Amino acid sequence: MDRRNPGAGREQDLVGWGRYPRARGVEVRSEDLESITRGASLCRGLGRAYGDAALPARGAAPLAATPLADRLLAFDPETGVLRAEAGVSLETLNRLLLPRGWFTPVTPGTQFVTLGGMVAADVHGKNHHVAGCFGEHVTALRMRVADGRVLEVTDESEPELFRATLGGMGLTGHVLEVEVRLERVSSPWIWRERTRHPDLASVLEALEAASAEWPMTMAWIDTTSRGRALGRGVVIVGRWAEPDEAPAQPPQPKRRFEVPPLPGLMNRSTIRALNAAYWSVMRPGAGIEHPESFFYPLDMLRHWNRGYGRRGFVQYQVVLPRAGDHAELLERFQRLGGASFVTVLKDCGEAGRGTLSWPKPGTSLALDVPMRGDATQRLVDDLNEFAVERGGRIYLAKDALTRPEHFRAMYPRLDEWQAVRRKWDPEGVLQSAQSQRLLGDAP
Amino acid sequence: MKTVIFGATRGMGRALARLLAERGDELVLLGRDPAELEKSAKDLEIRAGGAGHDRVGTEVCDLFDRKAFGSALDAAVQRLGGLDAVIVTAGVFGTQDELTDDADLLDRVLVADFVNTVHFCEEARLRLLESGGGKLCVFSSVAGERARRTIFLYGAAKAGLSYYLEGLDHRYRGEGLATICVKPGFVRTSMTAGLDPPPFTGEPDAVARSVLRAIDRGRPVVYAPPIWRWIMLTIRWLPRAVMRRLRF
Ligand SMILES: Cc1cc2nc3c(=O)[nH]c(=O)nc-3n(C[C@H](O)[C@H](O)[C@H](O)COP(=O)(O)OP(=O)(O)OC[C@H]3O[C@@H](n4cnc5c(N)ncnc54)[C@H](O)[C@@H]3O)c2cc1C
């Protein structure tokens, strides 16, 4: 069907995955990403960034919604190099290519993300300690830059722009196409092992030991247990199963359940109960696991973010270089009344190519916190002060509340990145609600 | 199935073409823009698992150039080495306001969605009958079922089209040609982007699945999402006086 103004938008309230904050803006949707990015202020993929990264800046031009631009443009079954439009979801890639033995080299904890979003956040996964971020595997980008030109951008042709775009949160140009080298897997199933540990120190120790042996590792911890049991948790490790261990059939897509729009269910007591329940379900053991429940356990519940009600929630994800600091951060968190259900630890390897990419060596801690206005702002401020002092840094794809001065202190390459951004966008066309909050972009 | 799809580069046509490709049907795509056709053909080939193979054909065909319909179809049939189904999702959309204010756009909608779609179907009918019958599946709209104050200009073209498709089915089903008239309600595609989605909004993938079922079974009319069958049943029986007051 043809339409004179393809997908001409109207003003609406937009939110990220945390449903906080809200921002009004116009989103233009079309299969024709090349035309809707002309003059757009920002791209928006599947809106899985938690905070305000994919939200419109005040006073800015419309957003280009990418998910309808979802064609696969080239795939070489010898090398695994895939080229696709930026709106293709990881779920599509997994459904089509995992049964054929190909998987994305890096996957975040949900498959409802777009390739463009994976580039813009330079996402990391359970294999960060061996594979680095997604951007390490990207071989080329086709981009529309702020002056309107469409360019093929690689680490050879335009290294500054390429590296500033990996983790650049959409602020260096619109990604139209992504070329990435997929990974060959021995089977489409996972061999998974799980161990339980009585406190945070032993979880961190076990996680570090596991990473020396396993390609995929992470830990879940209980943030509501106190005293000696503070941060008791489960270390989960895995690898692709060998063909002789795995079922002969490829995994079928899992059934998903819908969370209805209810008033917020998540408060301190339900979070405590959920933590205790999860702890008792996560029995130690080893065996074959479905890749979806291994990589994307939360995707089983569609719209689980509604569980936090209208006020929404924020995720606080920080990487701290020294292992001793996590307990202290958790104690501060508890003292300020924080409680979190989805609380994940992941050890990070070396920083990658992206100028503004988030991971650096250390261990990442992610906390989901119900949004309670000023109290939550104070909590984040306090945690950030601690993080800055200990050389930590927060992840932009999750952030909604960090202050500019903390952000600047956490990202020593910020000026270098801003210089590249200014060079490619001297008039400041590309903006987001996040860039106005953190980078001083003027409305 | 050897299938020709007119309008597979976008929206519901794109979703339907993917289902056909993923189950291994042989396809030729018709459309206006050769570069777009190429990209969509590539997408379908990769989805079909035949990366690098030349499985999905393309032929340039513009809904406003009706003299070229016959030759585009002939080229497609030749490439497929036969013909089992023709699917038409191409068309032009305009809201009531847009069409009221813009006579040129109105002309385009009437010509594309009624006049030329009928011409195209006539050409397709000849070739389907020649190869012994098959399926002709055409996207009309619930807007063509009963005139509503908010959508009767676009609806008028679709009403004419639905009328034609019903007649075609009556006349040729006995000769092995089944005509399938698809009547989508509001579906979330780029065509409707920016409009307020009403209740019972459909998603293109789900619509494509029910349309494919209808094609396989040769069902003459398919509403998508299916709830629209009951909505339209009610609306068809509403007295004029009530219809006049309806705001949607
Ligand atoms: C349950 C859950 C688990 C997650 N787990 C992880 C994890 O383990 N690791 C991790 O790294 N992240 C994780 N994330 C975060 C998520 O991977 C990122 O926020 C990702 O960017 C979301 O992709 P999206 O398509 O939804 O992008 P959006 O949220 O729509 O946008 C995110 C950013 O990407 C930009 N962007 C999107 N498309 C383009 C484009 N085409 N061109 C330029 N810029 C673009 C936007 O402007 C915005 O700045 C998780 C999120 C959820 C909800």
Side-chain angles (χ1 to χ4, degrees), chain B residues 108-200:
Chain B
R108 284 172 60 80
V109 163
L110 295 174
V111 169
D113 296 350
F114 178 57
V115 179
N116 283 2
T117 301
V118 170
H119 282 296
F120 182 84
C121 291
E122 285 294 293
E123 297 287 347
R125 165 179 69 80
L126 292 174
R127 285 155 185 86
L128 282 163
L129 288 170
E130 214 167 281
S131 61
K135 310 279 169 62
L136 174 62
C137 170
V138 185
F139 278 59
S140 185
S141 169
V142 294
E145 289 247 317
R146 181 98 200 251
R148 281 181 278 147
R149 59 197 291 166
T150 52
I151 187 154
F152 64 86
L153 285 170
Y154 173 72
K158 292 299 194 181
L161 179 61
S162 297
Y163 190 96
Y164 161 76
L165 293 170
E166 182 179 347
L168 204 62
D169 193 48
H170 294 327
R171 170 67 184 78
Y172 294 104
R173 195 165 276 251
E175 296 175 30
L177 172 61
T179 302
I180 293 114
C181 175
V182 183
K183 297 183 178 175
F186 192 102
V187 179
R188 212 187 300 272
T189 62
S190 54
M191 180 188 111
T192 57
L195 306 177
D196 278 316
F200 314 118

Side-chain angles (χ1 to χ4, degrees), chain B residues 235-246:
Chain B
I235 288 182
R236 270 204 306 278
W237 290 103
L238 287 180
R240 273 184 101 100
V242 177
M243 221 38 220
R244 189 164 295 143
R245 271 181 237 123
L246 278 189

Side-chain angles (χ1 to χ4, degrees), chain A residues 29-105:
Chain A
R29 291 175 86 76
S30 167
E31 288 89 349
D32 190 353
L33 188 56
E34 192 162 329
S35 78
I36 60 173
T37 48
R38 211 172 280 128
S41 62
L42 192 73
C43 277
R44 179 173 160 100
L46 284 166
R48 260 32 180 216
Y50 280 69
D52 52 4
L55 298 187
R58 264 170 293 125
L63 307 188
T66 67
L68 296 181
D70 64 349
R71 286 182 295 198
L72 310 176
L73 301 173
F75 179 61
D76 182 341
E78 300 298 313
T79 61
V81 174
L82 171 86
R83 177 179 278 261
E85 292 176 328
V88 171
S89 73
L90 185 52
E91 189 237 357
T92 299
L93 296 184
N94 290 344
R95 182 174 60 79
L96 292 170
L97 299 176
L98 186 54
R100 297 182 214 166
W102 294 100
F103 191 67
T104 176

Side-chain angles (χ1 to χ4, degrees), chain A residues 142-374:
Chain A
R142 190 156 174 271
M143 292 180 65
R144 179 185 289 288
V145 289
D147 68 10
R149 277 179 302 158
V150 172
L151 308 172
E152 183 79 8
V153 179
T154 67
D155 206 11
E156 290 73 43
S157 71
E158 291 291 353
E160 273 183 353
L161 178 61
F162 184 77
R163 292 175 176 225
T165 301
L166 304 177
M169 304 313 283
L171 298 168
T172 57
H174 307 298
V175 177
L176 306 176
E177 293 172 11
V178 177
E179 189 184 272
V180 58
R181 190 181 298 274
L182 302 183
E183 182 196 0
R184 229 215 192 295
V185 297
S186 43
S187 85
W189 294 88
I190 295 289
W191 178 268
R192 182 263 303 145
E193 298 188 7
R194 214 157 47 202
T195 51
R196 289 210 298 207
H197 305 272
D199 55 42
L200 184 58
S202 53
V203 172
L204 285 164
E205 214 169 281
L207 186 61
E208 197 186 322
S211 290
E213 287 172 38
W214 292 85
M216 303 171 212
T217 62
M218 54 86 73
W220 169 88
I221 56 169
D222 179 350
T223 52
T224 55
S225 55
R226 286 175 186 266
R228 295 247 315 274
L230 172 73
R232 63 178 177 175
V234 184
V235 172
I236 301 165
V237 301
R239 58 171 168 77
W240 291 103
E242 292 305 322
D244 57 345
E245 300 168 316
Q249 294 300 314
Q252 293 302 307
K254 284 247 177 189
R255 247 192 92 187
R256 303 197 181 98
F257 303 89
E258 183 91 5
V259 176
L262 292 169
L265 299 170
M266 299 297 259
N267 55 47
R268 287 180 53 123
S269 11
T270 51
I271 289 173
R272 174 182 291 275
L274 282 169
N275 270 288
Y278 195 77
W279 168 259
S280 56
V281 175
M282 284 288 113
R283 304 236 162 259
I288 291 291
E289 185 160 345
H290 194 294
E292 281 185 24
S293 61
F294 182 75
F295 290 115
Y296 318 115
L298 290 165
D299 285 355
M300 306 293 155
L301 287 176
R302 259 185 188 258
H303 302 300
W304 62 265
N305 56 341
R306 288 176 178 165
Y308 288 88
R310 266 197 67 79
R311 286 203 273 179
F313 69 112
V314 296
Q315 182 171 99
Y316 184 78
Q317 184 169 16
V318 64
V319 53
L320 294 168
R322 274 191 313 273
D325 293 336
H326 297 79
E328 221 175 305
L329 187 110
L330 262 192
E331 276 160 14
R332 280 178 173 244
F333 177 69
Q334 287 191 341
R335 215 176 318 123
L336 288 163
S340 157
F341 172 45
V342 183
T343 311
V344 176
L345 288 174
K346 168 68 201 142
D347 51 322
C348 298
E350 290 304 314
R353 292 191 286 187
T355 323
L356 212 61
S357 290
W358 166 72
K360 67 186 213 175
T363 302
S364 144
L365 170 66
L367 301 157
D368 279 1
V369 192
M371 181 62 198
R372 295 291 177 266
D374 289 345

